[in-house]
Amino acid sequence: MYRGRLERDLSLWVGKGLLGQKTAGALLAEYDSRPASFSLGRVLMALAAVLLASAILLVVASNWEAIPRLVRVGGILALIWVVHIAAARMLARGATAAAGGLLVIGAMSFGGAISLVGQMYHLSGDEQTVMYLWFAIATISAILFRSGAVAVVAGFLSWASFAVYLENNDTHWIGFDPWMAPVMAVIVIGLVRYTGAERARHLAYLLLIGWLAWLYTLYEEIAVALAFAIGGMVAFVLTALPLPRIASLVRSAGAAPAFYSFLVAVIGFLLLHIEIEDGWRLVVLGVATLAASVLAIALHGRDNGAVRYLAYTTFAAEMLYLASVTVGSILGTSSLFLFSGLVVALVAWMVIRLERRFSANAQGERA
């Protein structure tokens, strides 16, 4: 997709005389020389590693009753050492796909080793402690080998740890363990930035959103929903401001920060609609939702397709909902749409003024 757009843009610039034909060809050739972001071989290698690791975990789960304890422990420890040494040799040769597969097997084998030792020697502890230790080992492995594949494993382990907590505690907030979910998400984001596993960042963002949704189920109060809407919009607007430190972080993280912060705000507006069903507060909420959608399109709609489509969907859904709840009065519906249109126009005017100011400041800095 991107190559097609790049080729069309280069052809357009050549046609307008902005770029030479040789330069355009060189730029396209340089892009084609880059390693592809998708590789079928790497995907198959990762799937093979997952299958082999699953086989190891199933063998451990069988408890190997006929094999002496020391042989079992020694066997799985030897496997861990062998796959990590082999991965180091593969990395030295430049075989990153094979090394990533071996490291995935190694990270999964650590979990099997912990479970094996625990079941054989009846060590005290619980599943939650095992998940924390497993996640910590995967994190260390990802750092030592700078492995994006193991960073993905750590992302899934953070989800598994949160799921284990919810199951063992009947979704209640008990102790400090609930804070581990956002802590793990932050660690995974750090691993993503360190290893370059860009797609793994979605595991961390989705974990944070899932954690926030769980918080609402604990309280189910309008204040929590309002905090989601306001907090999400504040974070979203910050991703669009030309602040040096924030802007550099946002650019390096791609489209994810803007999309997920706006998604949190949309979830907050949805929860507010569940709490508020009629009256003047519903009108204010509807106008605020429409204004937030327009603001999202204005700030990130041009460059961020995910934000743009989410904002379109939110705007359309809100208009249909407002029309359905006010359909009993044509005059009331007309008045609502008129007021909403005026508010959206005001937001558009403010955004245009801000865009012009930012553009003038940027031109002044370049001069």
Side-chain angles (χ1 to χ4, degrees), residues 318-352:
E318 184 64 26
M319 292 298 293
L320 291 174
Y321 174 74
L322 292 176
S324 67
V325 297
T326 59
V327 71
S329 170
I330 296 178
L331 182 60
T333 304
S334 175
S335 301
L336 176 63
F337 285 175
L338 174 62
F339 183 65
S340 300
L342 293 175
V343 171
V344 171
L346 177 62
V347 172
W349 176 78
M350 294 174 61
V351 170
I352 291 173

mmCIF file of all heavy atoms in Angstrom, residues 318-352:
data_model
loop_
_atom_site.group_PDB
_atom_site.id
_atom_site.type_symbol
_atom_site.label_atom_id
_atom_site.label_comp_id
_atom_site.label_asym_id
_atom_site.label_seq_id
_atom_site.Cartn_x
_atom_site.Cartn_y
_atom_site.Cartn_z
ATOM 1 N N GLU A 318 -23.481 8.999 17.162
ATOM 2 C CA GLU A 318 -24.085 9.976 18.070
ATOM 3 C C GLU A 318 -25.266 10.691 17.412
ATOM 4 O O GLU A 318 -26.304 10.916 18.055
ATOM 5 C CB GLU A 318 -23.029 10.992 18.505
ATOM 6 C CG GLU A 318 -23.511 12.004 19.529
ATOM 7 C CD GLU A 318 -23.894 11.353 20.846
ATOM 8 O OE1 GLU A 318 -23.347 10.269 21.154
ATOM 9 O OE2 GLU A 318 -24.738 11.922 21.565
ATOM 10 N N MET A 319 -25.119 11.039 16.138
ATOM 11 C CA MET A 319 -26.220 11.701 15.448
ATOM 12 C C MET A 319 -27.433 10.787 15.354
ATOM 13 O O MET A 319 -28.576 11.217 15.579
ATOM 14 C CB MET A 319 -25.764 12.122 14.047
ATOM 15 C CG MET A 319 -24.712 13.226 14.049
ATOM 16 S SD MET A 319 -25.275 14.772 14.796
ATOM 17 C CE MET A 319 -26.519 15.288 13.641
ATOM 18 N N LEU A 320 -27.212 9.519 15.039
ATOM 19 C CA LEU A 320 -28.326 8.571 14.962
ATOM 20 C C LEU A 320 -28.977 8.380 16.328
ATOM 21 O O LEU A 320 -30.208 8.276 16.436
ATOM 22 C CB LEU A 320 -27.829 7.235 14.413
ATOM 23 C CG LEU A 320 -27.407 7.228 12.939
ATOM 24 C CD1 LEU A 320 -26.796 5.882 12.570
ATOM 25 C CD2 LEU A 320 -28.586 7.550 12.037
ATOM 26 N N TYR A 321 -28.149 8.327 17.373
ATOM 27 C CA TYR A 321 -28.700 8.141 18.706
ATOM 28 C C TYR A 321 -29.532 9.342 19.141
ATOM 29 O O TYR A 321 -30.644 9.193 19.661
ATOM 30 C CB TYR A 321 -27.563 7.904 19.699
ATOM 31 C CG TYR A 321 -28.023 7.837 21.137
ATOM 32 C CD1 TYR A 321 -28.694 6.723 21.623
ATOM 33 C CD2 TYR A 321 -27.784 8.906 22.007
ATOM 34 C CE1 TYR A 321 -29.136 6.668 22.934
ATOM 35 C CE2 TYR A 321 -28.219 8.860 23.323
ATOM 36 C CZ TYR A 321 -28.892 7.733 23.779
ATOM 37 O OH TYR A 321 -29.314 7.694 25.079
ATOM 38 N N LEU A 322 -28.995 10.525 18.914
ATOM 39 C CA LEU A 322 -29.738 11.729 19.290
ATOM 40 C C LEU A 322 -31.035 11.844 18.502
ATOM 41 O O LEU A 322 -32.067 12.262 19.034
ATOM 42 C CB LEU A 322 -28.867 12.966 19.066
ATOM 43 C CG LEU A 322 -27.654 13.103 19.989
ATOM 44 C CD1 LEU A 322 -26.827 14.317 19.600
ATOM 45 C CD2 LEU A 322 -28.095 13.210 21.446
ATOM 46 N N ALA A 323 -30.998 11.477 17.225
ATOM 47 C CA ALA A 323 -32.213 11.521 16.426
ATOM 48 C C ALA A 323 -33.250 10.537 16.947
ATOM 49 O O ALA A 323 -34.453 10.820 16.947
ATOM 50 C CB ALA A 323 -31.888 11.219 14.965
ATOM 51 N N SER A 324 -32.786 9.378 17.421
ATOM 52 C CA SER A 324 -33.724 8.361 17.907
ATOM 53 C C SER A 324 -34.382 8.771 19.214
ATOM 54 O O SER A 324 -35.560 8.491 19.428
ATOM 55 C CB SER A 324 -32.996 7.022 18.087
ATOM 56 O OG SER A 324 -32.040 7.108 19.128
ATOM 57 N N VAL A 325 -33.627 9.444 20.097
ATOM 58 C CA VAL A 325 -34.212 9.812 21.389
ATOM 59 C C VAL A 325 -35.055 11.075 21.304
ATOM 60 O O VAL A 325 -35.828 11.358 22.220
ATOM 61 C CB VAL A 325 -33.109 9.990 22.460
ATOM 62 C CG1 VAL A 325 -32.372 8.685 22.696
ATOM 63 C CG2 VAL A 325 -32.142 11.101 22.074
ATOM 64 N N THR A 326 -34.890 11.850 20.235
ATOM 65 C CA THR A 326 -35.687 13.076 20.089
ATOM 66 C C THR A 326 -36.678 12.984 18.938
ATOM 67 O O THR A 326 -37.244 13.988 18.524
ATOM 68 C CB THR A 326 -34.769 14.297 19.853
ATOM 69 O OG1 THR A 326 -34.000 14.075 18.657
ATOM 70 C CG2 THR A 326 -33.828 14.488 21.017
ATOM 71 N N VAL A 327 -36.871 11.768 18.412
ATOM 72 C CA VAL A 327 -37.718 11.616 17.231
ATOM 73 C C VAL A 327 -39.172 11.968 17.514
ATOM 74 O O VAL A 327 -39.948 12.235 16.608
ATOM 75 C CB VAL A 327 -37.613 10.160 16.707
ATOM 76 C CG1 VAL A 327 -38.324 9.184 17.647
ATOM 77 C CG2 VAL A 327 -38.162 10.060 15.287
ATOM 78 N N GLY A 328 -39.571 11.989 18.774
ATOM 79 C CA GLY A 328 -40.958 12.311 19.107
ATOM 80 C C GLY A 328 -41.307 13.753 18.794
ATOM 81 O O GLY A 328 -42.472 14.096 18.652
ATOM 82 N N SER A 329 -40.306 14.582 18.673
ATOM 83 C CA SER A 329 -40.569 15.998 18.402
ATOM 84 C C SER A 329 -39.675 16.442 17.252
ATOM 85 O O SER A 329 -38.458 16.507 17.393
ATOM 86 C CB SER A 329 -40.284 16.842 19.645
ATOM 87 O OG SER A 329 -40.308 18.206 19.335
ATOM 88 N N ILE A 330 -40.269 16.737 16.109
ATOM 89 C CA ILE A 330 -39.489 17.185 14.961
ATOM 90 C C ILE A 330 -38.811 18.520 15.273
ATOM 91 O O ILE A 330 -37.654 18.766 14.921
ATOM 92 C CB ILE A 330 -40.393 17.323 13.718
ATOM 93 C CG1 ILE A 330 -40.943 15.949 13.339
ATOM 94 C CG2 ILE A 330 -39.621 17.926 12.560
ATOM 95 C CD1 ILE A 330 -41.900 15.985 12.145
ATOM 96 N N LEU A 331 -39.549 19.399 15.955
ATOM 97 C CA LEU A 331 -38.978 20.689 16.315
ATOM 98 C C LEU A 331 -37.807 20.508 17.269
ATOM 99 O O LEU A 331 -36.781 21.180 17.135
ATOM 100 C CB LEU A 331 -40.055 21.577 16.954
ATOM 101 C CG LEU A 331 -39.623 22.994 17.345
ATOM 102 C CD1 LEU A 331 -39.134 23.750 16.106
ATOM 103 C CD2 LEU A 331 -40.762 23.735 18.026
ATOM 104 N N GLY A 332 -37.954 19.572 18.243
ATOM 105 C CA GLY A 332 -36.862 19.325 19.174
ATOM 106 C C GLY A 332 -35.641 18.782 18.464
ATOM 107 O O GLY A 332 -34.502 19.188 18.740
ATOM 108 N N THR A 333 -35.844 17.864 17.523
ATOM 109 C CA THR A 333 -34.718 17.311 16.753
ATOM 110 C C THR A 333 -34.042 18.388 15.930
ATOM 111 O O THR A 333 -32.814 18.476 15.858
ATOM 112 C CB THR A 333 -35.220 16.185 15.837
ATOM 113 O OG1 THR A 333 -35.887 15.201 16.615
ATOM 114 C CG2 THR A 333 -34.055 15.531 15.109
ATOM 115 N N SER A 334 -34.844 19.237 15.295
ATOM 116 C CA SER A 334 -34.292 20.322 14.487
ATOM 117 C C SER A 334 -33.480 21.281 15.347
ATOM 118 O O SER A 334 -32.383 21.710 14.954
ATOM 119 C CB SER A 334 -35.426 21.074 13.785
ATOM 120 O OG SER A 334 -34.927 22.190 13.091
ATOM 121 N N SER A 335 -33.999 21.629 16.515
ATOM 122 C CA SER A 335 -33.281 22.533 17.409
ATOM 123 C C SER A 335 -31.961 21.916 17.873
ATOM 124 O O SER A 335 -30.935 22.600 17.955
ATOM 125 C CB SER A 335 -34.159 22.867 18.618
ATOM 126 O OG SER A 335 -35.370 23.471 18.211
ATOM 127 N N LEU A 336 -32.001 20.613 18.163
ATOM 128 C CA LEU A 336 -30.786 19.937 18.606
ATOM 129 C C LEU A 336 -29.730 19.959 17.518
ATOM 130 O O LEU A 336 -28.560 20.266 17.762
ATOM 131 C CB LEU A 336 -31.114 18.496 19.010
ATOM 132 C CG LEU A 336 -29.920 17.627 19.408
ATOM 133 C CD1 LEU A 336 -29.236 18.177 20.654
ATOM 134 C CD2 LEU A 336 -30.351 16.187 19.634
ATOM 135 N N PHE A 337 -30.135 19.632 16.292
ATOM 136 C CA PHE A 337 -29.174 19.621 15.192
ATOM 137 C C PHE A 337 -28.653 21.033 14.911
ATOM 138 O O PHE A 337 -27.473 21.205 14.570
ATOM 139 C CB PHE A 337 -29.825 19.043 13.932
ATOM 140 C CG PHE A 337 -29.998 17.555 13.981
ATOM 141 C CD1 PHE A 337 -30.669 16.895 12.970
ATOM 142 C CD2 PHE A 337 -29.487 16.800 15.036
ATOM 143 C CE1 PHE A 337 -30.830 15.513 13.007
ATOM 144 C CE2 PHE A 337 -29.643 15.423 15.084
ATOM 145 C CZ PHE A 337 -30.309 14.780 14.073
ATOM 146 N N LEU A 338 -29.514 22.042 15.038
ATOM 147 C CA LEU A 338 -29.077 23.419 14.829
ATOM 148 C C LEU A 338 -28.034 23.809 15.864
ATOM 149 O O LEU A 338 -26.974 24.365 15.532
ATOM 150 C CB LEU A 338 -30.283 24.366 14.901
ATOM 151 C CG LEU A 338 -29.963 25.866 14.843
ATOM 152 C CD1 LEU A 338 -29.292 26.224 13.526
ATOM 153 C CD2 LEU A 338 -31.226 26.699 15.068
ATOM 154 N N PHE A 339 -28.304 23.506 17.125
ATOM 155 C CA PHE A 339 -27.361 23.849 18.188
ATOM 156 C C PHE A 339 -26.053 23.078 18.017
ATOM 157 O O PHE A 339 -24.965 23.635 18.188
ATOM 158 C CB PHE A 339 -27.998 23.527 19.541
ATOM 159 C CG PHE A 339 -27.139 23.909 20.716
ATOM 160 C CD1 PHE A 339 -26.840 25.238 20.982
ATOM 161 C CD2 PHE A 339 -26.617 22.936 21.548
ATOM 162 C CE1 PHE A 339 -26.039 25.583 22.058
ATOM 163 C CE2 PHE A 339 -25.825 23.270 22.623
ATOM 164 C CZ PHE A 339 -25.532 24.599 22.887
ATOM 165 N N SER A 340 -26.169 21.801 17.638
ATOM 166 C CA SER A 340 -24.970 20.999 17.427
ATOM 167 C C SER A 340 -24.145 21.562 16.272
ATOM 168 O O SER A 340 -22.919 21.620 16.339
ATOM 169 C CB SER A 340 -25.355 19.548 17.138
ATOM 170 O OG SER A 340 -26.078 18.984 18.206
ATOM 171 N N GLY A 341 -24.834 21.966 15.202
ATOM 172 C CA GLY A 341 -24.116 22.534 14.065
ATOM 173 C C GLY A 341 -23.366 23.795 14.429
ATOM 174 O O GLY A 341 -22.233 24.017 13.988
ATOM 175 N N LEU A 342 -23.989 24.647 15.247
ATOM 176 C CA LEU A 342 -23.323 25.881 15.671
ATOM 177 C C LEU A 342 -22.089 25.569 16.531
ATOM 178 O O LEU A 342 -21.044 26.197 16.371
ATOM 179 C CB LEU A 342 -24.301 26.755 16.450
ATOM 180 C CG LEU A 342 -25.473 27.344 15.639
ATOM 181 C CD1 LEU A 342 -26.426 28.084 16.564
ATOM 182 C CD2 LEU A 342 -24.948 28.264 14.540
ATOM 183 N N VAL A 343 -22.224 24.591 17.427
ATOM 184 C CA VAL A 343 -21.087 24.231 18.282
ATOM 185 C C VAL A 343 -19.953 23.653 17.452
ATOM 186 O O VAL A 343 -18.780 23.991 17.633
ATOM 187 C CB VAL A 343 -21.531 23.235 19.378
ATOM 188 C CG1 VAL A 343 -20.322 22.695 20.135
ATOM 189 C CG2 VAL A 343 -22.488 23.911 20.339
ATOM 190 N N VAL A 344 -20.294 22.757 16.513
ATOM 191 C CA VAL A 344 -19.260 22.159 15.655
ATOM 192 C C VAL A 344 -18.589 23.238 14.807
ATOM 193 O O VAL A 344 -17.369 23.221 14.599
ATOM 194 C CB VAL A 344 -19.881 21.057 14.771
ATOM 195 C CG1 VAL A 344 -18.874 20.592 13.720
ATOM 196 C CG2 VAL A 344 -20.325 19.878 15.623
ATOM 197 N N ALA A 345 -19.353 24.178 14.298
ATOM 198 C CA ALA A 345 -18.775 25.279 13.521
ATOM 199 C C ALA A 345 -17.819 26.101 14.376
ATOM 200 O O ALA A 345 -16.747 26.525 13.916
ATOM 201 C CB ALA A 345 -19.882 26.161 12.959
ATOM 202 N N LEU A 346 -18.191 26.340 15.647
ATOM 203 C CA LEU A 346 -17.317 27.082 16.542
ATOM 204 C C LEU A 346 -16.013 26.323 16.793
ATOM 205 O O LEU A 346 -14.921 26.912 16.768
ATOM 206 C CB LEU A 346 -18.038 27.332 17.868
ATOM 207 C CG LEU A 346 -17.221 28.053 18.956
ATOM 208 C CD1 LEU A 346 -16.812 29.445 18.477
ATOM 209 C CD2 LEU A 346 -18.022 28.150 20.252
ATOM 210 N N VAL A 347 -16.129 25.007 16.996
ATOM 211 C CA VAL A 347 -14.919 24.196 17.190
ATOM 212 C C VAL A 347 -14.044 24.235 15.941
ATOM 213 O O VAL A 347 -12.817 24.353 16.026
ATOM 214 C CB VAL A 347 -15.308 22.744 17.553
ATOM 215 C CG1 VAL A 347 -14.078 21.851 17.567
ATOM 216 C CG2 VAL A 347 -16.003 22.692 18.897
ATOM 217 N N ALA A 348 -14.667 24.130 14.758
ATOM 218 C CA ALA A 348 -13.909 24.175 13.510
ATOM 219 C C ALA A 348 -13.169 25.503 13.366
ATOM 220 O O ALA A 348 -12.003 25.545 12.943
ATOM 221 C CB ALA A 348 -14.851 23.957 12.323
ATOM 222 N N TRP A 349 -13.842 26.599 13.711
ATOM 223 C CA TRP A 349 -13.210 27.920 13.614
ATOM 224 C C TRP A 349 -12.002 28.012 14.551
ATOM 225 O O TRP A 349 -10.946 28.520 14.171
ATOM 226 C CB TRP A 349 -14.233 28.993 13.964
ATOM 227 C CG TRP A 349 -13.664 30.384 13.977
ATOM 228 C CD1 TRP A 349 -13.392 31.174 12.907
ATOM 229 C CD2 TRP A 349 -13.272 31.122 15.141
ATOM 230 N NE1 TRP A 349 -12.864 32.379 13.315
ATOM 231 C CE2 TRP A 349 -12.774 32.374 14.690
ATOM 232 C CE3 TRP A 349 -13.307 30.860 16.506
ATOM 233 C CZ2 TRP A 349 -12.304 33.333 15.565
ATOM 234 C CZ3 TRP A 349 -12.832 31.826 17.379
ATOM 235 C CH2 TRP A 349 -12.355 33.053 16.915
ATOM 236 N N MET A 350 -12.153 27.492 15.774
ATOM 237 C CA MET A 350 -11.038 27.522 16.725
ATOM 238 C C MET A 350 -9.872 26.680 16.231
ATOM 239 O O MET A 350 -8.701 27.078 16.339
ATOM 240 C CB MET A 350 -11.512 27.020 18.092
ATOM 241 C CG MET A 350 -12.540 27.925 18.772
ATOM 242 S SD MET A 350 -13.186 27.207 20.293
ATOM 243 C CE MET A 350 -11.691 27.077 21.259
ATOM 244 N N VAL A 351 -10.154 25.521 15.663
ATOM 245 C CA VAL A 351 -9.089 24.649 15.164
ATOM 246 C C VAL A 351 -8.364 25.303 13.997
ATOM 247 O O VAL A 351 -7.131 25.230 13.889
ATOM 248 C CB VAL A 351 -9.674 23.282 14.754
ATOM 249 C CG1 VAL A 351 -8.637 22.456 14.004
ATOM 250 C CG2 VAL A 351 -10.139 22.525 15.987
ATOM 251 N N ILE A 352 -9.106 25.938 13.107
ATOM 252 C CA ILE A 352 -8.481 26.620 11.965
ATOM 253 C C ILE A 352 -7.543 27.717 12.452
ATOM 254 O O ILE A 352 -6.423 27.885 11.938
ATOM 255 C CB ILE A 352 -9.557 27.192 11.027
ATOM 256 C CG1 ILE A 352 -10.302 26.046 10.328
ATOM 257 C CG2 ILE A 352 -8.938 28.126 9.998
ATOM 258 C CD1 ILE A 352 -11.495 26.509 9.512
#
